[in-house]
Amino acid sequence: MESSAPTLEGRLNAQREILIALVAQVLLHPDAGPGLIRSLEEEVLAQDGSEDPGATPSAGLARTGEKSAEIREILETAKARASAIRRTADRIADL
């Protein structure tokens, strides 16, 4: 499998889309997996460096920060998608 930058970017975008769809479904059906959202939110909090605000970032922490930012963005996008799906479903139900 090719590993050029455009290929990797495409693969990452596909994985991101799948993750967003999965998290959106969990948000729509909270009883199906409340632990997933809580776990991801805890991952973001733990990785933001908030547990040691005076720590000097190293290369590893910088990568961890990027991971945390990506998880945060996926969560926010999934929550927005779940909200849009709910609004659409509500409009259809009102017809």
Side-chain angles (χ1 to χ4, degrees):
M1 182 170 271
E2 187 181 348
S3 62
S4 68
T7 299
L8 290 175
E9 183 177 355
R11 291 179 68 198
L12 286 172
N13 285 339
Q15 292 170 11
R16 189 172 193 284
E17 181 60 31
I18 290 167
L19 286 172
I20 290 168
L22 289 170
V23 174
Q25 285 302 310
V26 169
L27 290 166
L28 287 168
H29 307 286
D31 57 322
L36 174 63
I37 300 302
R38 185 174 36 254
S39 173
L40 290 172
E41 289 172 340
E42 288 172 0
E43 176 87 13
V44 169
L45 289 174
Q47 310 256 333
D48 279 342
S50 57
E51 65 280 351
D52 189 0
T56 304
S58 66
L61 285 175
R63 283 191 297 274
T64 300
E66 292 167 0
K67 177 184 171 189
S68 180
E70 183 65 15
I71 291 171
R72 182 182 302 105
E73 189 173 334
I74 288 170
L75 281 169
E76 290 171 358
T77 305
K79 288 175 181 178
R81 182 175 294 178
S83 178
I85 291 169
R86 280 190 194 106
R87 285 192 307 272
T88 301
D90 290 345
R91 279 189 231 128
I92 290 171
D94 289 342
L95 295 179

